[in-house]
Amino acid sequence: MAIFHTPKEAFSALRPICVKITKEQNVINVQCLQSQLQKVGDAALQELQEYVLFPLRFSLRTPGLKQERFVQSVVECIHFIISRTCVQNQQQLCEIFSEVSLCLSSPGNHGKLAIISEELKMAVVQGLIALLHSAYGDILLCLYQPHMLPTQGFVISLLLDIAEHEKSRQLRVLALKCLLLLILQCDCPDTHCSFDSSDLLQVGDAFASFLPGIALGMSRIISGDIKQGHLVTIYAIKVWYKLVGLVMANDQVSKNHHDKKMLFVEDSKLADLVICRKPEWVKDTANKLDVLLQKLCSCATGNPHWKVRLELVELVYHLLSYCNKSLKQSIGHLLEILVGLVGDERPEVHTRCGQVLRNVSELCMICENKDFTDVLSENLHTLTTALPRLMRTLDDQSKLKSLGLLLGYLKLLGPKVNVILNSTVHLGRLSKALMQILELDVTDVRIVEERRLNSEADDLQHPMSFLSGWDHLRLGNKPTMKRKYFKHFTEECVFALLQQTCRVLGYYGNLYLLVDHFIHLYQESVLYRKQAAIVINEVLLGAAGLDVDVLHERETPVSVDDLKATVTSIIEEYISRANWDLVTSIESEHEAGLNTNQPKFLGFTKGSHSGCLHTSQSLTVHTMNSNIWQICIQLEGIGYFAQMLNKEFRQLLMTSLYPVIEKVGAETLLISQTATRTLTDLCQACGYDSLQKLINLNSDYLVNTISLNLRRLTQYPHTPRVISVMFSYSDASLLPLVDDVVQDVLLSLDHYHNEKAHLIFNVLHSLMTALAHWFPPKEPAQKEERPHNKACNSATKAEEIQCFFKDYQKQKRLAEGDVEDIDLDQTEYEISDHLEPDITFDHPDVKKELPAHIQIAKDVMEKCIHLLSDKSIKLRLKVLDVLELCVVVLQSNVNELLPMVHRVWSPFVQRLTNDDPLVVLRAFQVLCRLADTCGDFLKSRVSKNILPKVIGYLVSQAPVSAKAGPIYSHTLVYKLQLAELQGLGKLCEKLDLGETDLDMVANTCLPYLSSRQPPKLQDAACSVFYHLNEVDPDATWLILNEVYCPSTYDLPHFSLPPIHLTGMGKQRNEFTDNVLQLLQEFE
Amino acid sequence: MLEERGVWVWGDAEGARNFCGNSMAIPPPDPKFVLRGTGASVNTLHFCCSDQEDWNPILFSGSANGQIHIWNLKTHRADKVLESHNKQSVLWIHTLQGRNGLISQGRDAAVSTWDLSEGRTAVIDSIPLDSYGFCQCSLMQEGVGHYLLASPGSTSSEVKILDLPKKTPVWVLKPPADAKLGMPMCLKLWQPPSGSRPLLLVGYENGSLTLWDLSEKKMLSHLACHNEPIMCLDFDPERAKGISGSSEKLLSSWGLDNQQNLKLQNTLTLVNAGIADTCIRQDKKILATAGWDHRIRIFGWKKLKPLAVLQYHIASVHCVTFSDHVVPSERLMAAGSKDQRISLWSVYNKP
């Protein structure tokens, strides 16, 4: 297709059709023109623009009803022309503007939208957009001159109408875009002419008149049905804030140049239309806008489409950056939106929100905008005042919002937060609000009830596995912190928000001021203590810059020395006795007597005052729960502090390690867990590889406190716990220091002979448990002998007999005194070899120095001797426990053990024979342990002093237990029976008792093989026979067969007499099952 | 005596009131900290806390196995351990020029000087002594880097004054042969505030005390104040008054009149015999004694009023000393004992 490049050619080509249109106005002609125009080059068209437009404009201007179809094609054609050329004439621009827009209005009612097709409306709006785009340079500004105001108003109202009421989304968006274009804020990619501020001022002045209408209209759209689509809403928001941002911009409103303008329009009647943006007007408008803004924002924040919310962020940003003075009263609200949207689920929204927040806060800092700070602090104050109420009444989601707001304000204030903190009223409000919100829920009884699993009772059963409770720790796992339950909220994220709030406070705020204030609250009342401690912990964490999320860096971080000084004083406060040794369980009630300033004690006296015992009781549970939490929070704090100071914290270990370890050993599960966490924190922070290292390298600090506390055991009843925890984590390298403490312990035993012996024995118990763990007894030599003896047993029958006879012969010869020379020589040689070094090294008066642990065990055992016959059952039991452990430790050193056993024997026999069943039971267990090592040494003593008594008891109890019902197994008598039966067999074997004794034992146990006995007793009796079988299989076999013999024996040779056993041919009886089982096992 | 009534007394420095009214008595305090790990009984202690403000305060301890520990009083741990005197017991230690130097006396009859500056731990010099006894030396600074050292001499009753660092004997003080004083047991070299001539106090085995004018090599005064050997003495030049303890139950204080005559002023009988060491605090308000009965006793210095009996050690206490902290509230008292521990106390520190 040929293109006309020169105007001349084009003119000749276009002229006929233009003339035709003027004469005959119809669609075909217009379309013909448009198709002709396509052949004209841009430059040529620009030349002929006015000429070509003329017939089209003429046809629009001619009065009379026109075909819609025709109007549309005309508008489209104009659109086509204008979009390819630019309008250079002001008047032309104004005229076309009004002519095109007129197409929309109904001919009858001049300001109302005509009932026309969507296509036409679309064409017109697009035409307007094209027109505005094609205006050349600043001629566009002529549209904003006062005389154009009516036209503008007319167009705007039409566009608003379309934007609001049309069905087609596309059309509505177009209308909104057109509006944007009108306020010179088009967002299309084309380049636009940029205007200076005075030009913008003119636009602003013009639109001041339309502000109410547009703002209202947009608000309606925004708050309209969500079904309208997000694009419409987004554009509506955009129009709203661009317009407001233009009209209410700080620099436009503040300038004092309105009078001049007024003069200009004074004479014309247009003066009514022109609005002068005087301060009063600004204030009034701002108030109205504030109302709209709130409505609009509440709709938009809830919009499900994230792009809408994103646009809202832009709105806030735009208004905050341009209108923060004129729209002063809305700043709070705007920030609220911003802060609220920080927590948005869409990453796009919350990252943008974060950026905006950062920019805004910089804005507020750089500009030194006093208003801004004032507004923020005022808002903060109102918020903190309302916060307690909000916390009580709102649901969690709304609480989250208000707290988010609080955090946002603090973050925005940044370093200026000190201005607020310096005001007593503000700080008071803020802290009271925090105190109320952070109030813990202390009603959970489980917290009080849950105990650490391996309390002492377990240790007794498994002296070797006493570490089991802390095993998880040795593996390096940190127990997770149990979440706290709060009175006023349940969601974890609310707490996280509060933590952040405190940290931000600490990050920016004056540390000393904050800590002083909250420590004061901490001391002021028990009610605030836990919350204040939480706040202090978090504030310090923030001050150290740990886990804190802020908008901009502070200028001067808190120095390590300052932190250290603060931490030192806080820890001192935390671990002071009034705040640390709190009653956490009913068992530890004796502690209450020591501290009269205990909350619990107070509660109790109050309760009795009011004469209502019940309330005081329930109060106590709550108080205990509260105490537990307080300790946990303080422990947590110590962990935090360590993390802050890292290796610098090592110096503070001197004071803080002991209290933490004391709590690791606490009975209450929660405390113990928290303390272990803290301990791992300390370990990591101070740069130790393991807990063992931590404790080993700081054991001097621990030992110092332990030794001092042992002197006042009544005041520090938890010292044994510390010792046992210390031992459990540590190893034998601790022994030299331990030795020192043990001397203290033993000495203190002499001091507190009666009252506190029990406590001291707890210490000794943990000490001996540790020693037994560190120096596990080597398996005694007996083990090696066994296989040798067994050799005979395992061999085949013929060899067995041969072996037996050889052995028998040898024994007999020896018994007759026929000792072989070689044997004798050997023994003699050995003896001399053994003795000589002894003679040379052991001076008669200088005793050989024993290994420390042996010496300790001996010393402890010495104390046991004296206290075995103490009045208190509890103590006697404890002493027996310790005694058993001493025996375990001394096992490896029989030379020391035997003399001690000799000394202990007489009081010990008393425990076994003339004591409470409970003690007898325990003593019997110790006896079994003794039998392990002392074997022969005890043989005659046991058979003389103990066996008769035990057997007598078992014989007398056998008929009782045979008849007893199911509850019997819960009685102490039963337990004693069981223990004795279980131990007896082993005892016989270990001590290698004589035939008569064995016979006695077997006969005593036979009744217990009866199926009428409780099953456990039967099993135990069976075990006795197993052991007896080891010692003397033949006799045992015989005894069993006399009770019941399952088989008959055929004689291998007739010359032998027939065998007759009493049990042969007996009817099946109560013993049958067990005897059969035993015999089977023996074969 | 108070202890015989079985009452612990604990009051404030001036607080004789508390001492009188038993109802006011509060239990004696525990040690502030106990240093462990000397490995042998502790014979002598010396503080060094005020030489440099930002340095850690330190405490030197000498023990029976020849080790000298340098304790950091911030961390309460031994920074360094010096092996000295061929593992023989260390009798006495003193700093030279702040903490940069140390002088130690051992049972190997030698005095060693140490260079401790810049982390060094080297013996600079070793001066043999003539006596193998238990008598501790006494040191007095004459000028910068210039000291006088009083040490027991070769023959009995003789005292030798050496010049440091030249190591030359300046004077030998020999009491008249007929005096029968026995061995010197303790020495105190001091400079009276008025005169420039240094004076020396010597406590002897027979329980008598002598005052010597060094420059004239003359015994100025003689006082028989104890019946048993004098174990320790300390002197307060301001009040011209001193205190001495012996192996008996007696504690004596004596004064010096204008004619330089020693006069017995006051005696106090204790419950248990044997005072190993005594020390008057720098502020001259209180006095501490180290007892063979494992106890440390505190007395008011002015009237020798018993103030407190501190019981912590489980063996006899060998030495007691006060720290030279600048700030009075930080002041410490340290006691070393045969039980191998050093106890640190904070007593009567409140103004």
Side-chain angles (χ1 to χ4, degrees), chain B residues 20-48:
Chain B
C20 298
N22 285 343
S23 57
M24 292 288 284
I26 53 168
D30 276 334
K32 209 173 154 237
F33 203 90
V34 178
L35 304 172
R36 292 174 164 79
T38 53
S41 63
V42 183
N43 288 339
T44 175
L45 294 167
H46 184 79
F47 275 106
C48 184

Side-chain angles (χ1 to χ4, degrees), chain A residues 651 654 688 697-701 703-704 707-708 711-712 737 740-741 743-744 747, chain B residues 27-36 74-77 311-312 314 339 341 345:
Chain A
Q651 232 179 69
M654 205 189 307
Y688 296 106
L697 291 177
N698 293 293
S699 50
D700 50 344
Y701 295 156
V703 163
N704 179 59
S707 116
L708 292 179
R711 287 157 46 85
R712 310 217 187 290
L737 268 176
D740 200 63
V741 180
Q743 297 314 318
D744 284 341
L747 212 72
Chain B
D30 276 334
K32 209 173 154 237
F33 203 90
V34 178
L35 304 172
R36 292 174 164 79
K74 272 256 165 66
T75 61
H76 291 155
R77 285 178 179 158
Q311 191 162 18
Y312 171 77
I314 49 174
D339 64 9
R341 302 177 192 176
W345 307 75

Side-chain angles (χ1 to χ4, degrees), chain A residues 340-363:
Chain A
L341 284 174
V342 164
D344 198 88
E345 62 217 9
R346 287 294 293 211
E348 293 91 339
V349 179
H350 67 71
T351 44
R352 176 69 189 144
C353 217
Q355 279 171 5
V356 169
L357 263 181
R358 200 158 297 131
N359 292 344
V360 167
S361 70
E362 264 159 29
L363 195 80

Side-chain angles (χ1 to χ4, degrees), chain A residues 383-418:
Chain A
L383 184 63
T384 43
T385 315
L387 216 47
R389 183 177 50 80
L390 295 177
M391 286 300 123
R392 278 197 305 275
T393 51
L394 292 177
D395 61 347
D396 270 8
Q397 212 53 43
S398 327
K399 281 173 194 166
L400 205 57
K401 262 196 191 132
S402 2
L403 289 174
L405 204 58
L406 175 69
L407 176 60
Y409 286 148
L410 290 176
K411 277 183 176 177
L412 279 176
L413 276 168
K416 291 216 183 96
V417 89
N418 279 320

Side-chain angles (χ1 to χ4, degrees), chain A residues 329-533:
Chain A
Q329 62 265 66
S330 308
I331 289 180
H333 193 68
L334 291 170
L335 288 175
E336 196 178 318
I337 296 161
L338 207 52
V339 172
L341 284 174
V342 164
D344 198 88
E345 62 217 9
R346 287 294 293 211
E348 293 91 339
V349 179
H350 67 71
T351 44
R352 176 69 189 144
C353 217
Q355 279 171 5
V356 169
L357 263 181
R358 200 158 297 131
N359 292 344
V360 167
S361 70
E362 264 159 29
L363 195 80
C364 118
M365 285 213 310
I366 294 164
C367 308
E368 283 298 327
N369 192 333
K370 200 167 165 299
D371 287 344
F372 208 82
T373 323
D374 282 352
V375 167
L376 279 175
S377 54
E378 203 171 297
N379 281 356
L380 192 63
H381 189 240
T382 353
L383 184 63
T384 43
T385 315
L387 216 47
R389 183 177 50 80
L390 295 177
M391 286 300 123
R392 278 197 305 275
T393 51
L394 292 177
D395 61 347
D396 270 8
Q397 212 53 43
S398 327
K399 281 173 194 166
L400 205 57
K401 262 196 191 132
S402 2
L403 289 174
L405 204 58
L406 175 69
L407 176 60
Y409 286 148
L410 290 176
K411 277 183 176 177
L412 279 176
L413 276 168
K416 291 216 183 96
V417 89
N418 279 320
V419 179
I420 290 168
L421 296 183
N422 283 333
S423 133
T424 332
V425 186
H426 273 86
L427 183 57
R429 279 277 162 82
L430 183 63
S431 59
K432 283 278 155 60
L434 283 173
M435 291 302 106
Q436 286 215 16
I437 303 160
L438 283 169
E439 193 173 342
L440 283 162
D441 178 20
V442 290
T443 49
D444 193 354
V445 186
R446 271 176 306 168
I447 300 283
V448 184
E449 278 176 346
E450 278 180 327
R451 285 295 118 99
R452 191 155 54 81
L453 271 178
N454 65 329
S455 52
E456 282 163 46
D458 286 335
D459 297 353
L460 305 185
Q461 261 79 49
H462 325 279
M464 293 308 168
S465 64
F466 77 115
L467 296 166
S468 58
W470 288 304
D471 267 354
H472 57 279
L473 250 172
R474 316 201 128 233
L475 302 173
N477 297 342
K478 212 159 137 182
T480 48
M481 181 57 205
K482 196 178 169 70
R483 58 171 290 197
K484 302 181 185 71
Y485 292 93
F486 295 90
K487 214 169 186 174
H488 297 304
F489 59 89
T490 47
E491 293 244 7
E492 188 80 339
C493 49
V494 177
F495 181 54
L497 212 54
L498 284 166
Q499 281 180 313
Q500 270 301 322
T501 309
C502 299
R503 285 176 201 169
V504 169
L505 266 181
Y507 188 81
Y508 292 120
N510 178 339
L511 185 61
Y512 284 107
L513 177 75
L514 282 168
V515 169
D516 276 358
H517 182 80
F518 283 103
I519 278 283
H520 182 72
L521 280 175
Y522 176 90
Q523 291 161 337
E524 190 180 275
S525 157
V526 188
L527 289 176
Y528 293 147
R529 198 159 290 159
K530 294 185 293 297
Q531 299 94 302

